[in-house]
Amino acid sequence: MLDNLKLNGDGTAEFSSCADDFLASVRDDAEKAVKELIEIADMKAGEIFVVGCSSSEVTGTHIGKGSILPVAEAIFDAIMPILKEKGIFLAAQCCEHLNRAIIVERSCAEKYGFEPVCVRPVAKAGGSFATTAYERFDAPVAIEHVRAHAGIDIGGTLIGMHLREVAVPVRLSVKKIGEANILCARTRPKYIGGPRANY
């Protein structure tokens, strides 16, 4: 755990002293990882990029034990401009207390026919990253499921349920964001048919 991290009794955490260098490093790693994954996955405008993020794990705390808003904000601020520039939708995964629901822009939900549900994430029920997305999106909505074209799991948040059916693991040059391991995936259409099929 970081020396300048203070755990609160309500299951959240905060930095007890300046953590500018750490947050700058987190931003840099998140930006590099997302750019690399978008390129490898050959993502196009209008596609969906899912992010599961444990701000606790990024700071070396056990997942769910210390939601840290400044960390989530640093990661969001690093990746959102990249996705926006390319016209890719961000899908922010909530934590298990909201059954890993997803926060997206209303325009994404409308494009793909996702049905909104009534819930708003907060740090202790949804997580800091989903909360940040909800607060920063133009018109946020919560949905229960998404079928993303690619995604990044920061700290073991289990994004697999929100990827399209055939997920392909992707190894990046970036292995961690902060103290959190990352796992990435792209997806592809299914191969069908037999030995005579052409792909």
Side-chain angles (χ1 to χ4, degrees):
M1 186 192 306
L2 294 177
D3 293 337
N4 55 7
L5 188 67
K6 175 184 145 190
L7 293 174
N8 299 321
D10 64 356
T12 61
E14 60 190 53
F15 291 115
S16 55
S17 63
C18 181
D20 291 344
D21 290 346
F22 176 75
L23 292 177
S25 172
V26 164
R27 276 191 295 272
D28 290 347
D29 288 342
E31 180 180 336
K32 185 175 179 183
V34 168
K35 281 181 176 176
E36 201 173 324
L37 181 53
I38 287 170
E39 184 177 341
I40 291 169
D42 193 25
M43 294 192 74
K44 308 289 190 291
E47 293 186 337
I48 301 172
F49 188 99
V50 64
V51 176
C53 175
S54 168
S55 58
S56 304
E57 290 281 339
V58 172
T59 57
T61 308
H62 190 274
I63 190 168
K65 298 300 183 186
S67 193
I68 304 145
L69 200 55
V71 169
E73 290 170 341
I75 293 170
F76 184 91
D77 290 343
I79 68 177
M80 193 61 208
I82 300 164
L83 298 174
K84 201 171 241 186
E85 180 186 348
K86 295 185 175 293
I88 296 169
F89 291 114
L90 171 62
Q93 180 180 276
C94 297
C95 73
E96 65 177 298
H97 298 99
L98 295 186
N99 297 328
R100 305 201 192 286
I102 293 286
I103 306 301
V104 293
E105 289 280 14
R106 183 174 296 278
S107 56
C108 177
E110 289 173 352
K111 175 182 171 73
Y112 285 95
F114 299 136
E115 186 175 346
V117 293
C118 291
V119 72
R120 178 188 176 122
V122 294
K124 276 199 71 179
S128 289
F129 187 79
T131 300
T132 299
Y134 194 93
E135 290 172 353
R136 304 264 181 103
F137 279 168
D138 294 328
V141 294
I143 59 176
E144 289 187 282
H145 302 288
V146 73
R147 287 289 174 253
H149 300 82
I152 183 167
D153 178 332
I154 305 170
T157 61
L158 304 177
I159 62 168
M161 66 187 283
H162 293 304
L163 291 167
R164 293 192 307 169
E165 202 161 323
V166 184
V168 181
V170 174
R171 292 187 180 214
L172 303 181
S173 62
V174 179
K175 305 299 181 197
K176 289 187 169 198
I177 295 176
E179 297 296 314
N181 292 319
I182 62 172
L183 292 172
C184 301
R186 63 178 178 83
T187 62
R188 64 160 176 79
K190 294 178 180 179
Y191 295 139
I192 64 166
R196 297 184 186 184
N198 291 299
Y199 300 112

